[in-house]
């Protein structure tokens, strides 16, 4: 068959075109990202990296934002993916650096990438800490820094360091350090960078890297790495990890250091004890929060991840241990904040070591205190979290109290003749102690017995815990003036008087002493002639009255007020009190004034007037006697 030359030439052209087209990568009928059309200079690089799973879109994934700037953490995540980490490498990286990333407050989405970058030496821990300290984690990354990290991700760091001759023609080459020029030179050799630079003869080391430029650098780096068998050529398909770890849920029994090694002793599945070693890269959390070995405490419930076939810990997940114990301080070092407490549990005496939190709430004998104020032997109620004491309620082993004896009573059914003594100090704080046969007691410098102590004695007590060891008491003599408001007489017991103290305006209780000296209306007599309402001047020793001078007419007093009601026939006046110099009556209270037939009534100029001249609403000054219930007027003056 004859074929025309022109047709043959046309067939040849068509076949060549077909071969040319087939040599261009095809990523689908339509662009993957709406903002990266096929005409975009970086289209092929972006599509290749996206199809391999190295880069992703933004938002809902339909856009790429090719001119968007890359932050440090995002760039590190992309470079980490370029190394094709295996599932095992991802797990190991996470175990090794999770605590550090939590400490630096790295966002969750960036943790895996940065962990892999650290694990594969793309970046050092020191570099990451410096970046975090300088606030660079969330800032855009420069072109020259990306070059350094990309060289390391490609496994070419040694090649760069060993490069003897570097020849760069960029106008701004002097703005780069010697090692940076080596990184750039190696990337040019690998075909990642253009030796012509940005087109104007400069490299632009400090320019901010865009997402499209990063895609190109990654794509060309990937092509280079694919041609070098020392690195994986394709992303590793997620694999099902082999069972390389064992998990144990148990309780922490003991934490110990053996030289430079740290061990956790836990309860095994058979109820015995087994020790596991804490490694430098062991991940430790308490309640989901990253911590260190020091954050663990005996008694915590833990979930251990153990490297199979070894005693090495990959991770420790602990739950906070809250406990409250009551005991006695056995050892205390306020400088190191260490405390050993002895306490009883299930009839066993236990000694346990704790650390005291620097912000712990500390109270000693009910008052706010410092750790240095506590002493060995003090009783303590402790609140503890993870072996750290955060609240201390302490009671001094030795107490020294000075005050007035409020009460002293024998202990019921006590075979050792024990007594309870109650003391009130000058600030009205009340203390109660036990007196036993070993308590040394003096009263007025003479050795005495508990029954010789009296209520209202002054006392200085030294006690160990709640037991008085020494009591030094002395009688307090007082002169008191006031009204008898109550009398109680019981057969075979001393008569008890309640006196309204003229000075303190308070009721005070006393008993008549055995040899009390009594005079009523200047006549010597006995207690049978005493009555409520009598005005008295007494001498007391403690709670006993030794002398009493009584006036049956009651106490002279003055009351000022306004007449609210007046009965001329009976001689009664009801006053609204404005001032009363004796009892606890207040302004506005009412009092009834009884008027005797010989009462003296005067006007404002002290001229005598008739009682009938007084009327409701008048303000008057009344002087008379008051027996605690009745006020009898002697003189009345209009005001």
């Amino acid at each position: 068959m004859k074929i025309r030359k022109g047709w043959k030439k046309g067939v040849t052209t068509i076949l060549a075109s077909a071969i040319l087209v087939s040599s261009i990568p095809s990523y689908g009928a339509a662009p993957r990202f709406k903002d990266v059309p096929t005409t975009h200079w970086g289209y092929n690089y972006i599509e290749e990296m996206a199809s391999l799973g190295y880069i992703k879109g933004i938002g809902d994934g339909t856009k790429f934002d090719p001119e968007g700037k890359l932050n440090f953490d995002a760039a590190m995540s992309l470079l980490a993916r370029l190394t094709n980490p295996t599932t095992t490498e991802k797990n190991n990286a996470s175990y090794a650096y999770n605590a550090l990333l939590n400490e630096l407050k790295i966002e969750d989405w960036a943790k895996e990438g940065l962990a892999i970058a650290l694990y594969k030496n793309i970046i050092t821990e020191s570099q990451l800490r410096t970046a975090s300290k300088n606030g660079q984690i969330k800032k855009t990354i420069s072109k020259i820094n990306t070059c350094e990290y990309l060289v390391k991700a490609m496994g070419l760091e040694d090649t760069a360091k060993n490069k003897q001759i570097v020849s760069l023609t960029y106008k701004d080459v002097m703005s780069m350090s010697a090692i940076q020029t080596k990184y750039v030179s190696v990337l040019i050799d690998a075909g990642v960078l253009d030796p012509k630079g940005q087109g104007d003869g400069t490299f632009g080391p400090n320019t901010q890297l865009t997402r499209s430029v990063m895609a190109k650098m990654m794509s060309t780096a990937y092509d280079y790495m694919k041609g070098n068998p020392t690195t994986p050529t394709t992303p590793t398909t997620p694999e099902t990890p082999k069972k390389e770890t064992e998990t144990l849920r148990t309780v922490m029994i003991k934490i110990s250091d053996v030289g430079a090694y740290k061990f956790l002793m836990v309860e095994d599945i058979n109820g015995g004890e087994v020790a596991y070693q804490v490694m430098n890269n062991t991940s430790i959390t308490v309640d989901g929060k990253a911590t260190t070995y020091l954050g663990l405490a005996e008694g915590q419930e833990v979930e251990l991840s153990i490297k199979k076939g070894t005693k090495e810990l990959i991770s420790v997940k602990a739950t906070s241990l809250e406990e409250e114990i009551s005991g006695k301080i056995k050892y205390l070092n306020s400088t190191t904040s260490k405390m050993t407490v002895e306490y009883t549990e299930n009839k066993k005496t236990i000694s346990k070591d704790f650390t005291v939190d620097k912000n712990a709430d500390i109270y000693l004998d009910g008052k706010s205190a410092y750790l240095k104020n506590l002493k060995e032997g003090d009783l303590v109620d402790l609140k503890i979290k993870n072996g750290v004491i955060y609240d201390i309620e302490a009671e001094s082993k030795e107490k020294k109290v000075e005050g007035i004896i409020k009460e002293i009573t024998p202990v019921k059914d006590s075979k050792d003749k024990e007594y309870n003594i109650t003391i009130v100090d000058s600030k009205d704080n009340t203390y109660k102690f036990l007196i036993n046969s070993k308590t040394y007691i003096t009263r007025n410098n003479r050795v005495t017995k508990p029954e010789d102590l009296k209520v209202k004695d002054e006392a200085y007590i030294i006690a160990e815990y709640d037991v008085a060891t020494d009591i030094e008491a002395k009688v307090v003599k007082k002169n008191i003036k006031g009204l008898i408001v109550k009398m109680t007489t019981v057969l075979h017991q001393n008569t008890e008087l309640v006196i309204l103290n003229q000075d303190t305006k308070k009721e005070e209780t006393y008993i008549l002493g055995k040899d009390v000296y009594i005079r009523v209306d200047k006549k010597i007599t006995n207690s049978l002639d005493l009555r409520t309402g009598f005005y008295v001047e007494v001498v007391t020793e403690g709670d006993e009255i030794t002398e009493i001078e009584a006036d049956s007419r009651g106490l002279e007093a003055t009351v000022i007020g306004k007449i609210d009601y007046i009965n001329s026939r009976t001689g009664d006046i009801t006053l609204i009190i404005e001032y009363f110099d004796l009892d606890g009556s207040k302004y506005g209270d009412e009092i009834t004034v009884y008027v005797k037939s010989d009462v003296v009534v005067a006007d404002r100029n002290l001229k005598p007037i008739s009682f009938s001249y007084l009327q409701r609403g008048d303000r008057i000054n009344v002087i008379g006697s008051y027996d605690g219930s009745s006020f009898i007027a002697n003189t009345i003056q209009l005001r």
Side-chain angles (χ1 to χ4, degrees):
M1 181 176 66
K2 293 181 179 180
I3 301 175
R4 289 180 296 178
K5 290 183 179 181
W7 185 85
K8 185 176 180 180
K9 183 179 180 181
V11 170
T12 303
T13 301
I14 292 170
L15 289 173
S17 299
I19 292 170
L20 179 61
V21 170
S22 65
S23 68
I24 298 175
S26 176
Y27 300 107
R32 184 187 304 267
F33 304 113
K34 294 178 181 180
D35 55 352
V36 185
T38 56
T39 56
H40 190 282
W41 69 265
Y43 172 77
N44 285 341
Y45 304 121
I46 294 168
E47 283 291 330
E48 180 186 34
M49 291 294 96
S51 68
L52 292 174
Y54 289 135
I55 61 176
K56 299 176 183 178
I58 62 173
D60 61 0
T62 61
K63 292 185 178 182
F64 182 70
D65 188 21
E67 301 309 310
K69 302 298 189 293
L70 272 176
N71 286 344
F72 176 93
D73 52 2
M76 298 308 296
S77 295
L78 291 174
L79 294 177
R81 292 175 197 165
L82 193 61
T83 66
N84 294 321
T86 65
T87 300
T88 299
E89 287 175 330
K90 290 178 182 178
N91 289 338
N92 289 344
S94 177
Y95 289 139
Y97 296 104
N98 187 59
L100 171 64
L101 299 177
N102 284 331
E103 177 189 338
L104 300 182
K105 295 182 171 60
I106 302 300
E107 293 181 5
D108 289 342
W109 69 266
K111 283 182 179 178
E112 182 181 88
L114 279 168
I116 293 168
L118 288 162
Y119 189 75
K120 295 209 169 189
N121 295 316
I122 297 173
I123 186 172
T124 65
E125 182 176 331
S126 175
Q127 286 176 314
L128 184 60
R129 286 186 179 277
T130 300
S132 175
K133 182 180 179 181
N134 296 334
Q136 295 172 340
I137 300 295
K138 299 305 297 182
K139 289 183 179 179
T140 53
I141 191 168
S142 67
K143 187 177 179 181
I144 191 62
N145 285 341
T146 304
C147 289
E148 175 187 348
Y149 299 132
L150 181 55
V151 166
K152 294 177 180 178
M154 294 170 69
L156 298 175
E157 184 179 21
D158 288 340
T159 302
K161 289 182 177 178
N162 295 327
K163 198 171 181 65
Q164 298 299 316
I165 300 174
V166 176
S167 177
L168 300 178
T169 59
Y170 303 126
K171 296 177 182 178
D172 52 357
V173 68
M174 298 304 292
S175 65
M176 292 183 277
S177 66
I179 187 61
Q180 287 174 339
T181 62
K182 290 185 177 185
Y183 290 143
V184 171
S185 180
V186 165
L187 291 178
I188 291 174
D189 294 343
V192 175
L193 296 177
D194 188 339
K196 297 179 181 179
Q198 300 182 117
D200 60 354
T202 63
F203 178 74
N206 295 318
T207 56
Q208 296 176 344
L209 204 66
T210 64
R211 288 167 59 82
S212 56
V213 171
M214 185 64 165
K216 178 185 176 182
M217 293 176 71
M218 289 179 65
S219 177
T220 51
Y222 170 73
D223 291 339
Y224 173 85
M225 294 164 71
K226 187 167 58 173
N228 289 266
T230 56
T231 57
T233 57
T234 57
T236 303
T237 303
E239 60 187 48
T240 302
K242 295 179 182 179
K243 188 68 174 178
E244 297 177 344
T245 63
E246 297 174 331
T247 301
L248 176 63
R249 293 178 177 84
T250 182
V251 175
M252 193 100 66
I253 296 175
K254 190 177 180 181
I255 303 170
S256 59
D257 294 327
V258 180
Y261 303 101
K262 301 175 178 64
F263 292 90
L264 304 185
M265 183 75 73
V266 299
E267 193 175 282
D268 64 18
I269 56 176
N270 298 316
E273 296 181 358
V274 60
Y276 293 98
Q277 185 178 354
V278 179
M279 312 303 291
N280 290 336
N281 61 351
T282 300
S283 170
I284 302 175
T285 61
V286 177
D287 297 334
K289 296 180 179 179
T291 184
T292 65
Y293 168 73
L294 298 175
L296 300 176
E298 295 173 12
Q300 287 177 333
E301 292 184 355
V302 291
E303 179 182 304
L304 306 180
S305 179
I306 308 151
K307 186 176 181 180
K308 193 172 183 178
T310 72
K311 296 294 183 182
E312 297 177 3
L313 290 168
I314 296 172
S315 69
V316 180
K317 296 178 181 178
T319 302
S320 289
L321 175 66
E322 293 268 4
E323 53 184 331
E324 295 183 10
I325 66 172
S326 297
K328 181 170 61 179
I329 298 176
K330 188 176 180 181
Y331 167 79
L332 177 64
N333 187 325
S334 59
T335 303
T336 61
S337 297
K338 298 295 183 183
M339 179 187 292
T340 301
V341 179
E342 186 176 85
Y343 61 100
T344 302
E345 187 176 275
N346 297 325
K347 297 182 180 180
K348 292 182 179 179
T349 300
I350 300 171
S351 289
K352 198 169 182 180
D353 299 329
F354 298 99
T355 298
V356 181
D357 188 275
K358 65 179 181 179
N359 296 316
D361 291 326
I362 303 175
Y363 290 88
L364 177 62
D365 298 328
K367 299 176 182 178
S368 181
Y370 296 99
L371 187 60
K372 65 182 180 181
N373 300 133
L374 305 185
K375 292 181 173 58
E376 293 174 9
D378 287 353
L379 298 178
V380 287
D381 292 327
L382 307 176
K383 291 183 180 179
I384 307 153
K385 184 173 183 179
N386 299 328
V388 179
I389 300 170
Y390 66 88
D391 188 276
I392 302 175
E393 292 279 352
E395 178 185 338
S396 297
K397 174 183 178 181
E398 183 179 83
K399 298 185 181 71
K400 296 179 180 180
V401 179
E402 188 171 4
I404 303 297
I405 298 177
K406 181 181 179 181
E407 186 178 32
I408 181 164
T409 56
V411 176
K412 188 176 181 181
D413 300 326
S414 172
K415 296 179 182 180
D416 299 324
K417 294 184 179 181
E418 295 174 322
Y419 284 76
N420 287 321
I421 185 170
T422 303
I423 301 290
V424 179
D425 68 12
S426 59
K427 295 182 179 179
D428 286 334
N429 296 313
T430 301
Y431 305 88
K432 188 173 182 179
F433 302 101
L434 178 71
I435 300 174
N436 59 25
S437 58
K438 296 181 180 180
T439 306
Y440 181 76
I441 306 171
T442 61
R443 187 170 189 257
N444 291 342
N445 299 319
R446 293 183 180 181
V447 177
T448 187
K449 298 176 181 179
E451 52 266 35
D452 293 327
L453 298 175
K454 303 297 180 184
V455 173
K456 290 187 171 60
D457 278 358
E458 286 184 355
Y460 176 73
I461 296 180
I462 299 175
E464 188 169 301
Y465 303 123
D466 290 328
V467 179
T469 56
D470 291 271
I471 300 177
E472 183 180 323
K474 62 180 181 180
V475 174
V476 179
K477 284 191 175 184
K478 290 183 180 179
N479 294 315
I480 297 172
K481 297 179 182 180
L483 284 177
I484 300 175
V485 295
K486 185 179 179 181
M487 290 184 61
T488 304
T489 302
V490 179
L491 191 63
H492 304 308
Q493 291 187 19
N494 292 21
T495 299
E496 185 179 86
L497 300 185
V498 178
I499 297 175
L500 178 62
N501 190 311
Q502 185 177 352
D503 295 326
T504 65
K505 304 294 191 295
K506 293 181 179 179
E507 293 184 355
E508 300 172 358
T509 303
Y510 299 91
I511 58 173
L512 295 180
K514 182 179 179 181
D515 300 318
V516 60
Y517 174 79
I518 301 174
R519 290 207 315 170
V520 176
D521 295 336
K522 298 183 180 181
K523 293 181 180 179
I524 299 174
T525 183
N526 55 46
S527 62
L528 296 177
D529 290 329
L530 295 175
R531 298 287 187 275
T532 57
F534 281 15
Y535 172 73
V536 292
E537 295 182 7
V538 301
V539 178
T540 65
E541 292 184 2
D543 68 334
E544 286 189 359
I545 296 176
T546 58
E547 296 180 33
I548 182 166
E549 184 80 35
D551 189 333
S552 62
R553 293 173 300 175
L555 179 64
E556 185 176 277
T558 299
V559 62
I560 299 172
K562 183 185 291 186
I563 297 175
D564 185 58
Y565 172 79
I566 186 167
N567 189 327
S568 300
R569 184 177 60 82
T570 60
D572 296 344
I573 297 175
T574 301
L575 278 184
I576 304 298
I577 296 175
E578 294 179 0
Y579 168 79
F580 189 17
D581 68 353
L582 190 57
D583 70 6
S585 299
K586 301 185 295 296
Y587 183 92
D589 288 349
E590 291 186 354
I591 187 171
T592 300
V593 177
Y594 298 97
V595 181
K596 299 189 297 182
S597 59
D598 58 351
V599 66
V600 176
V601 183
D603 64 10
R604 294 176 181 82
N605 297 316
L606 299 179
K607 292 182 178 180
I609 58 175
S610 171
F611 177 76
S612 60
Y613 184 80
L614 300 177
Q615 58 185 338
R616 188 172 184 270
D618 284 347
R619 292 180 69 248
I620 58 175
N621 183 3
V622 184
I623 299 174
S625 58
Y626 181 64
D627 64 4
S629 59
S630 301
F631 192 99
I632 301 174
N634 293 325
T635 63
I636 301 174
Q637 180 190 358
L638 279 170
R639 291 179 64 83

